[in-house]
Amino acid sequence: MPALLEIQNLHTEFRTGAGTIHAVDGITYSVNAGETVAIVGESGSGKSVGALSILRLIPDPPGRITQGTVLFGGRDLMTLTEEQMRQVRGSEIGMVFQEPMTSLNPVLTIGRQITETLEQHRGVDRATAQKRAVELVGLVGIADPIRRLKQYPHQLSGGMRQRIMIAIALACDPKLIIADEPTTALDVTIQAQILELMKDLTHRLGIALIIITHNLGVVARYANRVNVMYAGRIVESGPARAIYHTPRHPYTIALLRSVPRLDRPRQARLDPVEGQPPDLTRLDAGCSFRPRCRFAIAACAASRPRLEATSNPGQSAACFRADELASLTGTNEAALAGAPA
Amino acid sequence: MYLYIIKRVLLVIPTLIGAAALVFLLMRLIPGDVCVIRLGSSGGTFDPKAVALCHQELGMNRPIWVQFFDFMWGIVRFDFGTSMWSGKPVTTEIWARLPVSLEIALLGSVLATVIAIPLGTLSALRQNSWLDVFVRVFAIGGIATPSFWLGIISLLIVLDLTSFFLGAAWMPPIDYVPFFEDPIRNLSMVLLPAITIGYRYSAITMRMTRSTMLEVMREDYIRTARAKGLIHKLIINRHALKNAMLPVVTLIGIEFAFLIGGLVVTEQVFNLNGVGRLFVQAVQNQDYTLTQALVMMTVVVFVFCNLVVDLLYAWLDPRIRYS
Ligand SMILES: Nc1ncnc2c1ncn2[C@@H]1O[C@H](COP(=O)(O)OP(=O)(O)O)[C@@H](O)[C@H]1O
Ligand code: SF4
Ligand SMILES: [Mg+2]
């Protein structure tokens, strides 16, 4: 069976005064129907741009998708007309953004912001849309839906607003939901609730989920497969368990050490990845992680490693020393200790 | 919300009292008075006795605080007395001149808004297009052009064009005919002055619309609306304009009050017998009662516009409505 979503060699760049930023620099991955795939990486690694590129929501100018195909249900989204693309957005693919405080329109009621999606894509009348909105708000675990629908975003807490965003994403029974750091802006206790809710709903309704996060701790619990991004590329990918236990890229190893724990305040990071993320306008021909890599060798400066299969089945890494790393670091017990149960 | 409205309305009272006291004092700080001007207008010397008599007639010989309380008590009863210059009731003087000024102000602001909001919006949506460049030049022009100059130039253009095409120069009529009596004559009189005062108004409204629209289009909720697959028209009308109009509404309301200043100049240029011109005459004649009444009227317009803007804003923005 073909994958639900197949991204091949996707490139997105921004032309700015300081030069061209290759925010997404040739990523390839797929998502099967009903599965949850995590995209992990530091801030600025191109996770959001990669996600927005799927829906062709990159602000142009300064951004442009320059290359690649995004097959969704067999159709290449990159070749659709703007009108065809619009019919995919919000209907077949739902999106949940990082900032619940600013992602809802402050002057429209919650109800209106849910029903308009239904009216747009389903052509239903207001009453039908209203009934479905009540159902959706109940589904995302908000009590007293009828009252809530009449309220405005500022009257709801951050967690509540994110639930509304999820309800909007769910409205038209999408096949795929893309959640861009849906919990980063929320309280630690709320974070877990929202993640549980998304896991529960996508499993129950058979919706595929791309969950973007910079927290590898989230991944093991919620994702089937993981793509680790660094400087606009996927540097490691594979089953969540495998990435977690036997990481094969030095960046993944460093990330695992920096996992914040859900049971501790957010400030109590273990060990942030050392060094600065690279300047995306001036990458050289070598491995982009090289300046921060403990394992770098001469070959790493000469050319850029490609994402290739490792000795672990299903696991790929873009590192010349991927297979050596297994013996150099052993399993990742130390990092595991910091992960949520 | 109701508390907010009540507070807002109650605040109007001290504002009015303060303004009344200020204008009363300022008028009396100007050297000379209406009697000196009236009696001295022939050019020769005048009899101090005649001035004293005149002062007595007008009640200006009373202690100043008595005059002040007289004035305040009058305001409370909506009685502004008689003009010190013409002797006619102040309300009669103003009432006769109000329609032409009001029509120019309203027509000017309606024209300005109707042009400014769509153009400002389009200019933001098509940033850096030729339309955007045109709008920006038009708007800078509106802010840089003094209205008296614009008035004179537009009159000259009309004169030249009519004499060229019709053979005889045509001037807009200067005596006011209500719109419903003779719409064409009415409009041919007020249209040019309305455009003259409306240009600046529309220029600043356009700029404001453009800049807030540009800002709003970058907001996260617009991205959400796009991610929901809404059609473009809906994103603009329902999501963007509703937010972008909040500061524009404020501007439109506040600027309307400032139109009165524009009227003073415009009515001089077009030789119209309106409130603006009456204002100039009243000050020249040091007609205390008339000037005071006119200033109070201006203050009321200002306060009222502010009040309407605040209430409208609260009504449009649920964050204020529900707090
Ligand atoms: N609108 C934009 N204009 C210019 N550069 C952008 C824009 N959006 C994103 N970028 C750049 O693209 C890179 C990737 O950003 P992003 O995908 O948001 O990272 P993250 O992984 O934190 O989501 C960053 O270097 C960022 O500066
Ligand atoms: S290729 Fe070299 S520099 Fe890059 S991650 Fe692997 S070891 Fe480090
Ligand atoms: Mg991001």
Side-chain angles (χ1 to χ4, degrees):
Chain A
M1 198 185 81
L4 174 68
L5 179 78
E6 252 186 272
I7 300 172
Q8 280 153 9
N9 196 28
L10 186 67
H11 288 258
T12 303
E13 55 187 43
F14 292 94
R15 309 226 162 118
T16 66
T20 302
I21 298 172
H22 299 276
V24 170
D25 197 16
I27 60 174
T28 298
Y29 68 92
S30 63
V31 179
N32 294 322
E35 112 179 296
T36 296
V37 170
I39 312 282
V40 191
E42 286 173 309
S43 172
S45 54
K47 306 183 298 293
S48 299
V49 173
L52 290 172
S53 299
I54 298 173
L55 286 174
R56 287 176 35 195
L57 287 176
I58 299 294
D60 175 13
R64 266 188 50 203
I65 300 169
T66 52
Q67 242 194 82
T69 54
V70 176
L71 294 174
F72 179 73
R75 278 191 302 176
D76 182 5
L77 298 184
M78 297 301 121
T79 61
L80 297 187
T81 62
E82 178 53 33
E83 173 58 19
Q84 289 169 323
M85 194 63 224
R86 185 188 65 67
Q87 289 169 13
V88 173
R89 295 182 194 127
S91 164
E92 292 177 64
I93 304 179
M95 180 104 200
V96 177
F97 291 100
Q98 180 175 353
E99 306 84 5
M101 304 319 260
T102 52
S103 290
L104 289 167
N105 194 324
V107 302
L108 297 178
T109 60
I110 299 297
R112 194 78 199 98
Q113 299 189 57
I114 300 176
T115 53
E116 66 177 357
T117 315
L118 291 159
E119 286 169 23
Q120 181 77 74
H121 293 295
R122 292 293 168 81
V124 297
D125 59 39
R126 272 211 185 196
T128 317
Q130 177 73 17
K131 249 171 67 190
R132 171 85 175 131
V134 173
E135 201 181 292
L136 283 163
V137 172
L139 198 63
V140 295
I142 291 179
D144 200 357
I146 294 173
R147 184 173 67 93
R148 290 297 181 187
L149 287 179
K150 290 194 198 110
Q151 292 189 314
Y152 289 87
H154 75 275
Q155 294 168 296
L156 272 56
S157 68
M160 205 80 103
R161 289 189 218 184
Q162 206 57 310
R163 285 174 194 267
I164 297 297
M165 286 299 290
I166 295 170
I168 292 173
L170 285 173
C172 298
D173 297 314
K175 300 193 188 77
L176 172 69
I177 289 181
I178 304 173
D180 187 356
E181 308 207 27
T183 62
T184 305
L186 302 175
D187 267 9
V188 184
T189 44
I190 313 288
Q191 289 188 3
Q193 287 175 15
I194 297 288
L195 288 167
E196 284 299 330
L197 175 74
M198 295 194 36
K199 179 182 168 181
D200 176 52
L201 285 173
T202 49
H203 281 202
R204 238 170 52 198
L205 304 171
I207 300 169
L209 176 66
I210 297 178
I211 185 156
I212 296 172
T213 170
H214 57 243
N215 180 348
L216 255 179
V218 168
V219 169
R221 192 181 175 108
Y222 299 101
N224 304 101
R225 289 191 297 134
V226 185
N227 296 306
V228 181
M229 276 190 81
Y230 187 78
R233 296 180 165 220
I234 294 177
V235 293
E236 179 156 15
S237 81
R241 286 274 135 199
I243 299 272
Y244 216 79
H245 290 282
T246 56
R248 289 299 174 85
H249 193 284
Y251 177 60
T252 315
I253 294 171
L255 266 189
L256 279 166
R257 290 226 179 80
S258 74
V259 168
R261 293 170 57 160
L262 286 177
D263 56 354
R264 283 203 195 154
R266 251 191 289 181
Q267 290 84 348
R269 291 220 162 175
L270 291 176
D271 186 8
V273 181
E274 254 174 58
Q276 291 297 311
D279 179 349
L280 294 179
T281 58
R282 51 188 85 214
L283 291 177
D284 62 13
C287 173
S288 50
F289 190 58
R290 190 174 78 257
R292 303 165 73 179
C293 182
R294 286 195 287 145
F295 304 97
I297 52 174
C300 304
S303 64
R304 213 175 272 186
R306 294 156 54 92
L307 188 65
E308 278 165 352
T310 64
S311 56
N312 262 359
Q315 193 175 350
S316 315
C319 172
F320 295 125
R321 308 188 67 188
D323 283 329
E324 281 173 68
L325 281 180
S327 54
L328 287 173
T329 58
T331 58
N332 197 30
E333 291 306 329
L336 260 185
Chain B
M1 180 63 193
Y2 290 112
L3 208 68
Y4 171 80
I5 298 179
I6 290 168
K7 255 200 280 192
R8 199 59 197 71
V9 172
L10 284 182
L11 218 69
V12 166
I13 296 168
T15 314
L16 289 180
I17 294 176
L22 205 63
V23 60
F24 181 88
L25 279 175
L26 284 177
M27 278 312 287
R28 280 157 183 79
L29 284 178
I30 305 172
D33 61 47
V34 62
C35 292
V36 176
I37 292 172
R38 192 197 272 172
L39 295 166
S41 56
S42 53
T45 53
F46 51 86
D47 188 356
K49 268 192 215 141
V51 174
L53 191 69
C54 169
H55 279 168
Q56 197 175 350
E57 266 171 29
L58 296 176
M60 285 164 63
N61 56 344
R62 295 173 300 164
I64 196 145
W65 59 270
V66 173
Q67 292 181 49
F68 181 68
F69 281 106
D70 198 34
F71 167 51
M72 292 301 279
W73 180 231
I75 290 179
V76 174
R77 291 172 298 146
F78 295 104
D79 174 8
F80 294 92
T82 52
S83 160
M84 288 181 170
W85 185 263
S86 70
K88 285 191 220 149
V90 163
T91 40
T92 313
E93 294 278 15
I94 295 179
W95 206 243
R97 291 165 176 88
L98 200 57
V100 61
S101 301
L102 202 61
E103 194 182 336
I104 291 172
L106 285 178
L107 188 63
S109 22
V110 168
L111 279 179
T113 314
V114 162
I115 292 170
I117 290 178
L119 276 186
T121 306
L122 279 176
S123 143
L125 293 179
R126 307 205 205 309
Q127 203 184 354
N128 298 327
S129 65
W130 65 265
L131 179 87
D132 184 30
V133 172
F134 167 78
V135 164
R136 277 147 68 188
V137 169
F138 179 84
I140 292 283
I143 289 161
T145 313
S147 60
F148 73 88
W149 186 82
L150 183 66
I152 293 168
I153 292 296
S154 60
L155 264 180
L156 285 178
I157 290 175
V158 168
L159 276 175
D160 280 351
L161 285 182
T162 50
S163 65
F164 185 82
F165 286 108
L166 307 176
W170 176 86
M171 279 277 274
I174 54 168
D175 52 327
Y176 183 71
V177 186
F179 179 80
F180 293 105
E181 260 172 44
D182 187 348
I184 295 181
R185 195 177 160 78
N186 170 282
L187 282 182
S188 62
M189 174 188 185
V190 296
L191 199 58
L192 275 188
I195 290 172
T196 304
I197 59 166
Y199 184 24
R200 198 191 111 83
Y201 198 167
S202 92
I204 46 183
T205 310
M206 220 178 267
R207 275 166 67 97
M208 177 69 116
T209 306
R210 180 179 180 274
S211 70
T212 53
M213 199 58 191
L214 279 176
E215 217 170 279
V216 165
M217 288 308 286
R218 279 193 291 264
E219 294 281 353
D220 287 340
Y221 53 78
I222 297 298
R223 188 181 60 187
T224 307
R226 300 221 296 139
K228 281 154 78 168
L230 301 183
I231 55 169
H232 188 67
K233 209 176 83 190
L234 216 57
I235 297 178
I236 301 305
N237 292 342
R238 187 184 290 164
H239 286 264
L241 274 177
K242 254 196 182 148
N243 282 284
M245 279 309 108
L246 292 175
V248 175
V249 162
T250 311
L251 182 85
I252 291 174
I254 304 290
E255 283 294 324
F256 181 77
F258 278 101
L259 278 187
I260 295 177
L263 280 176
V264 170
V265 177
T266 310
E267 286 174 6
Q268 289 291 25
V269 171
F270 288 94
N271 202 16
L272 299 175
N273 195 14
V275 171
R277 200 129 168 265
L278 185 65
F279 221 133
V280 176
Q281 289 164 355
V283 173
Q284 273 171 354
N285 296 339
Q286 297 220 19
D287 189 340
Y288 293 167
T289 41
L290 185 53
T291 310
Q292 281 163 3
L294 283 167
V295 170
M296 287 314 288
M297 186 186 84
T298 312
V299 172
V300 167
V301 171
F302 256 85
V303 168
F304 181 74
C305 285
N306 267 302
L307 184 68
V308 168
V309 163
D310 277 4
L311 296 182
L312 203 59
Y313 204 109
W315 180 66
L316 287 172
D317 190 343
R319 282 163 295 190
I320 298 178
R321 203 186 329 152
Y322 294 100
S323 61

